[in-house]
Amino acid sequence: MTGSQRLVARVFGRVQGVGFRWWVRTRAEELGLVGWVANDPDERTVSLVAEGPPELLDRLEAMLWQGPPSARVERVETDRHPASGEFAGFQIARP
């Protein structure tokens, strides 16, 4: 994945029980990104890892602040790293 990056994000707020993981997976697949998304055990956050071109990760990162209609995002923490190339698609992971 030459030129690709890894976005590591944690989304805080009302993001569990509102379809947030499914929404993230759909957005990531639409953008052609690979990785995973999962509910965190604390019941208030969702974590995700996405890999792809930086400009598409920027778009996903901006979308995370909105989420699906029933979500209420309070904060998004992100970090960027070089892509690992370990993913073949985008999955919903179990905590």
Side-chain angles (χ1 to χ4, degrees):
M1 292 187 114
T2 304
S4 291
Q5 290 183 349
R6 173 181 278 214
L7 169 69
V8 178
R10 193 162 183 215
V11 184
F12 296 77
R14 184 174 171 225
V15 293
Q16 289 195 20
V18 296
F20 202 91
R21 292 175 302 155
W22 297 94
W23 181 88
V24 168
R25 183 180 75 175
T26 301
R27 301 292 83 78
E29 288 175 341
E30 289 171 352
L31 293 169
L33 302 172
V34 296
W36 58 265
V37 61
N39 283 339
D40 290 334
D42 66 8
E43 300 181 0
R44 287 196 24 88
T45 58
V46 168
S47 292
L48 66 105
V49 171
E51 292 188 352
E55 63 276 6
L56 297 180
L57 293 175
D58 291 343
R59 289 175 60 188
L60 179 63
E61 186 175 336
M63 290 178 199
L64 293 176
W65 282 95
Q66 203 167 27
S70 53
R72 186 172 28 247
V73 176
E74 296 171 2
R75 186 170 88 237
V76 178
E77 294 178 355
T78 63
D79 200 7
R80 297 278 179 112
H81 305 277
S84 69
E86 68 187 274
F87 306 112
F90 203 94
Q91 304 295 319
I92 294 175
R94 302 284 178 226

